[in-house]
Amino acid sequence: MAQPQIRQAACPLNCWDSCGLHVTVENDRVTKVEGDPSHPITQGKICGRGRMLETRTNSLQRLLHPLKKINGKFEQIPWEQALNELAEKLKEIKTVYGTKAVLHSHDYANNGLLKNLDQRFFNCYGGVTELYGSLCWGAGIEAQKWDFGDAYSHEPDDVYNSKNIIIWGRNVARTNMHFYEKLIEAKKRGAKLFVIDPIFNATAKIADQFISIKPGMDGFLAAGIIKEMLRLGLEDRSFIEQLTVGFEEIAWLVGSISLKEISEMAEVPCEVMTHLAEVFAEKPTATFMGLGLQRYQNGGNTIRMIDALVAISGNIGIAGGGANYANLQVGQSFVFDELTLPQFKQRHRQFSIMKQAESVLTAKDPDIKMIVVTCGNPLTQVPDTHVVERAFSSIETLVVIDQFMTDTARLADYVLPTTTAFEEEDIYYSSMYHHYVNYGPKLISAPGEAKPDLWIWTELAKRLGFGAAFDFTRKQFLEMAFQELERKGISLEILMERHTLELPVKAVPWQDGKFTTPSGKYEFTARFGQERLTLAAPEESKWRNPHLAEKYPYSLLTIHPMRSNHSQNYHLLGGKLKLKVEVAQNIADDLGLSKNDLVRVWNDRGEVNGYLAILTKAHPNTINIDEGMWKQFGGSVNNLTSSNPSDNGLGSTLYDCLVNIEKIN
């Protein structure tokens, strides 16, 4: 019997931390997943979701063979049959309807660089209907591109240069544990920590001050702080006059509303806004924004208003400052066009990722004849579940590539079993936090007939006449993406040897005062084709929809679960899972609800039933139900959420959601 080996690997999850791993392998089987102590950022500590990778890999629920639905039931079929039948369908669709009759529904369950090769396949096929926008962070990305020209953040250790740290709508204790540790260290070094959130979370517990805010009103709070900053003369005039355009527009906007009105709408006291104006002026102050506060119809405006606050206070381009939301310069280190071959796309069409279901149901010239789902579980994760189920059930052929029989896979006509991260080689990084790239080698054999998705694309490409586009090894594909880095002296070979490398990004973005906007400056103003910066409340709020708010008086948040990366792990957690409905204390008091009561939460889109828990110190009239729960366990919470896009069209409105609640007797 072979001795256990501890191998270096990398976490594939689409997460802030992108951890280095130590994986114990024994007799071609993963027996333990722990943190790699040598990783420069994650330093041996990983979260429960990372440890679950061992459970995912070894689960007896793994899909082991291709499946085809025949007379309403799945039957095992050979790979040869599955590939031949799908290739014939793709040929027929291309000939009769055109390639746009195929929808490729892709999300971000796995962060591997080679997961982009599905685009290579569909581009070589001729170009299909694709998705644009993001359920996760799209509104904020677009907002920062309007303001700065791109969405960049400071490197992790720069937080030690901050006098003040603002954590705005982001529970790093749950979603970014290594940054949480840096916050504790920064506090020891003298920094003051402020947390702004509707929920008193684990990060708020270590804060010097917690500011409770009404969900979706963060842009108003930022406007109030700007208003006080200007009244007190605390703005950075030098930065504004030399490096920005359109300041007059923001000054007029915050002057159009009183501080008292802002206080009433955001439900934050006036004196708190005055104090925060002084905090921002006491540079350097770093602002770290979460993804939830832009998941509203006003989401783009919210991020732009917070950006404006950071800019007016002069905290852009200085060590210890920053409007830290995402760090796209990390992913920009790689050459994606070499992987995806966009030049082979002869025709294509785009659907909003939020509205993909509605678009499927109404598509013409051509209708959607086939949907291929990769790296996602749209029936659970895409908003307005009832419409998603109707759309995905309506088309002739639904193909799902996955490791497990998800809610989406259950609807499919073909389910193709794929490998886990430890059964294939890839490279992983995060565009949200640190700037290190990690190498993940193949450690073990895949069970049954599970195949890497690259193998699936290669075999289909051969049958469709463009097999030469896939006649490369995994290493050769990785070398394609590494071309620009190679020119900078960063080689794939060194990464494979060391398992992690620092990418050449700017540690303090915009330090040279040169922005990538059309003007070359920070832009408060809207340019041609963009919406003006406004003070907008969420669509589902008493300010914009009073009749709806009277019917559904509570704001629903759908935050990320502790033990599952979105919907990936619920079926593996064991025990009797049940949907947890967390409510602010005032809701329980007003309605006479108690812990563990069975309750119904509903609105015009749908309903879910779950068991009550109390959110201590949560903002009044706030409810949370963690996202990702499978249908069999009481989900999905997306039965309640809206598929409308954000103000700039590229983000979701998952948190822009009013509901009612009652006890089930």
Side-chain angles (χ1 to χ4, degrees):
M1 184 176 289
Q3 290 294 312
Q5 286 186 311
I6 296 178
R7 302 282 302 278
Q8 281 183 286
C11 185
L13 299 179
N14 178 32
C15 168
W16 297 85
D17 294 67
S18 192
C19 295
L21 302 179
H22 269 183
V23 178
T24 303
V25 176
E26 189 173 358
N27 297 319
D28 201 27
R29 178 182 171 87
V30 169
T31 57
K32 187 185 292 185
V33 177
E34 296 177 307
D36 178 359
S38 70
H39 193 279
I41 297 292
T42 60
Q43 297 178 341
K45 296 180 180 178
I46 62 172
C47 71
R49 292 178 288 266
R51 295 184 192 281
M52 284 293 294
L53 292 168
E54 180 270 324
T55 306
R56 284 188 66 83
T57 302
N58 294 324
S59 173
L60 297 178
Q61 298 180 52
R62 284 280 300 273
L63 294 170
L64 301 179
H65 308 282
L67 301 174
K68 179 182 179 180
K69 191 173 285 178
I70 302 172
N71 296 324
K73 293 184 178 180
F74 282 115
E75 295 187 13
Q76 179 181 325
I77 61 172
W79 268 113
E80 189 75 9
Q81 179 185 344
L83 294 165
N84 288 341
E85 289 182 6
L86 289 174
E88 285 304 312
K89 288 178 184 293
L90 285 165
K91 287 178 184 176
E92 181 183 357
I93 288 171
K94 185 173 186 176
T95 301
V96 178
Y97 305 102
T99 58
K100 292 189 296 184
V102 176
L103 169 64
H104 177 211
S105 181
H106 176 101
D107 215 325
Y108 301 98
N110 184 309
N111 216 27
L113 196 64
L114 298 188
K115 295 303 173 187
N116 293 279
L117 290 171
D118 52 7
Q119 296 179 51
R120 186 185 188 92
F121 174 83
F122 288 111
N123 286 339
C124 289
Y125 174 62
V128 297
T129 299
E130 304 163 339
L131 301 179
Y132 71 88
S134 168
L135 297 174
C136 184
W137 65 351
I141 295 292
E142 184 71 0
Q144 291 210 317
K145 287 181 177 180
W146 291 7
D147 294 339
F148 299 97
D150 220 324
Y152 295 162
S153 290
H154 292 221
E155 63 93 9
D157 283 350
D158 183 63
V159 73
Y160 297 142
N161 296 315
S162 305
K163 285 185 181 177
N164 302 296
I165 304 165
I166 312 291
I167 306 296
W168 203 322
R170 181 169 160 188
N171 183 10
V172 300
R174 178 178 284 207
T175 61
N176 193 184
M177 62 180 286
H178 301 93
F179 182 44
Y180 179 78
E181 293 176 340
K182 289 189 184 296
L183 291 180
I184 294 172
E185 176 61 26
K187 285 195 66 181
K188 290 178 181 177
R189 299 185 186 194
K192 292 285 192 293
L193 177 63
F194 301 81
V195 170
I196 304 170
D197 205 285
I199 296 175
F200 185 79
N201 53 44
T203 310
K205 291 177 181 177
I206 66 168
D208 293 280
Q209 185 176 354
F210 169 64
I211 296 98
S212 180
I213 184 171
K214 186 172 181 61
M217 302 303 288
D218 306 270
F220 280 85
L221 175 57
I225 300 168
I226 293 171
K227 188 177 182 71
E228 283 298 270
M229 184 165 280
L230 298 180
R231 180 180 70 82
L232 296 169
L234 298 175
E235 71 275 17
D236 187 326
R237 277 285 159 188
S238 176
F239 181 86
I240 293 168
E241 291 169 4
Q242 295 177 30
L243 297 175
T244 75
V245 294
F247 172 70
E248 300 79 11
E249 184 170 318
I250 191 80
W252 176 86
L253 188 59
V254 300
S256 68
I257 187 171
S258 72
L259 197 68
K260 185 172 182 292
E261 288 176 289
I262 292 174
S263 175
E264 290 174 353
M265 296 178 75
E267 298 179 2
V268 176
C270 292
E271 56 268 24
V272 170
M273 289 182 271
T274 304
H275 177 52
L276 288 174
E278 295 166 343
V279 169
F280 273 91
E282 187 187 17
K283 296 183 287 190
T285 294
T287 303
F288 296 89
M289 291 170 267
L291 307 182
L293 48 78
Q294 50 88 63
R295 292 177 184 153
Y296 296 85
Q297 197 281 329
N298 61 335
N301 265 289
T302 294
I303 300 300
R304 294 201 71 204
M305 195 64 72
I306 297 173
D307 287 349
L309 168 59
V310 179
I312 288 168
S313 62
N315 281 295
I316 299 297
I318 65 170
N324 301 283
Y325 175 75
N327 204 5
L328 297 189
Q329 57 181 331
V330 179
Q332 289 165 1
S333 300
F334 303 101
V335 186
F336 282 97
D337 283 359
E338 290 288 331
L339 290 179
T340 61
L341 299 179
Q343 68 271 24
F344 285 86
K345 187 188 304 182
Q346 297 170 8
R347 61 189 62 81
H348 80 291
R349 164 174 66 179
Q350 289 188 316
F351 291 165
S352 160
I353 192 170
M354 287 70 70
K355 288 286 188 184
Q356 60 183 286
E358 290 90 337
S359 298
V360 166
L361 292 169
T362 58
K364 300 294 181 188
D365 301 321
D367 299 355
I368 296 297
K369 299 297 181 180
M370 177 186 285
I371 300 176
V372 181
V373 176
T374 59
C375 290
N377 182 13
L379 198 71
T380 302
Q381 295 301 135
V382 174
D384 207 346
T385 302
H386 294 300
V387 179
V388 179
E389 185 166 9
R390 190 162 77 248
F392 278 61
S393 301
S394 70
I395 48 93
E396 292 176 7
T397 307
L398 174 61
V399 183
V400 173
I401 300 175
D402 211 303
Q403 298 156 4
F404 293 93
M405 187 61 73
T406 64
D407 287 351
T408 308
R410 290 181 189 281
L411 287 183
D413 299 287
Y414 293 86
V415 181
L416 307 181
T418 191
T419 45
T420 67
F422 302 142
E423 297 156 3
E424 60 184 33
E425 177 187 39
D426 213 333
I427 283 174
Y428 306 97
Y429 65 92
S430 171
S431 284
M432 297 181 285
Y433 179 47
H434 67 77
H435 54 285
Y436 286 79
V437 61
N438 302 327
Y439 172 62
K442 179 181 177 179
L443 301 180
I444 59 171
S445 305
E449 295 183 282
K451 298 289 186 182
D453 46 4
L454 176 53
W455 180 89
I456 299 171
W457 303 129
T458 302
E459 291 298 315
L460 285 172
K462 290 176 185 175
R463 289 163 171 79
L464 291 167
F466 51 90
F470 284 84
D471 193 16
F472 302 94
T473 64
R474 293 185 79 94
K475 184 179 179 182
Q476 287 172 324
F477 277 123
L478 292 174
E479 287 171 341
M480 293 178 192
F482 251 72
Q483 289 178 36
E484 188 64 31
L485 288 168
E486 291 276 359
R487 285 190 278 270
K488 296 178 180 179
I490 299 174
S491 76
L492 177 62
E493 293 291 343
I494 294 175
L495 172 61
M496 294 173 70
E497 179 185 330
R498 298 181 184 175
H499 283 266
T500 187
L501 279 178
E502 185 174 11
L503 293 171
V505 304
K506 293 178 180 177
V508 179
W510 322 118
Q511 198 166 22
D512 58 3
K514 296 177 181 178
F515 299 89
T516 54
T517 56
S519 67
K521 297 184 176 184
Y522 179 92
E523 297 189 357
F524 294 106
T525 51
R527 304 192 71 84
F528 179 75
Q530 298 174 356
E531 295 292 327
R532 297 177 69 87
L533 185 58
T534 60
L535 278 170
E539 176 67 26
E540 296 196 6
S541 66
K542 65 180 180 181
W543 307 105
R544 291 178 65 181
N545 204 329
H547 295 298
L548 186 73
E550 188 174 340
K551 186 177 180 182
Y552 302 113
Y554 307 117
S555 297
L556 176 68
L557 302 178
T558 53
I559 66 176
H560 298 303
M562 275 288 289
R563 299 175 64 195
S564 181
N565 192 52
H566 305 300
S567 67
Q568 290 187 42
N569 292 343
Y570 279 105
H571 61 302
L572 303 173
L573 295 178
K576 292 186 177 180
L577 288 183
K578 56 186 182 182
L579 195 74
K580 182 167 66 173
V581 179
E582 299 176 297
V583 305
Q585 186 68 57
N586 80 296
I587 299 175
D589 293 342
D590 294 346
L591 300 180
L593 301 175
S594 301
K595 183 179 179 181
N596 293 324
D597 280 349
L598 180 61
V599 294
R600 168 180 176 249
V601 182
W602 82 98
N603 59 20
D604 290 342
R605 287 178 287 269
E607 68 176 65
V608 294
N609 297 337
Y611 293 85
L612 197 85
I614 308 295
L615 280 170
T616 58
K617 300 185 185 178
H619 202 81
N621 297 322
T622 300
I623 296 175
N624 173 67
I625 302 174
D626 287 0
E627 55 95 8
M629 182 75 85
W630 292 27
K631 186 175 183 179
Q632 69 193 80
F633 305 121
S636 160
V637 72
N638 284 319
N639 282 292
L640 302 165
T641 57
S642 166
S643 63
N644 288 331
S646 62
D647 44 13
N648 57 30
L650 291 178
S652 69
T653 57
L654 290 164
Y655 288 15
D656 201 332
C657 183
L658 291 179
V659 297
N660 211 331
I661 184 172
E662 65 182 3
K663 182 177 179 179
I664 298 176
N665 295 318

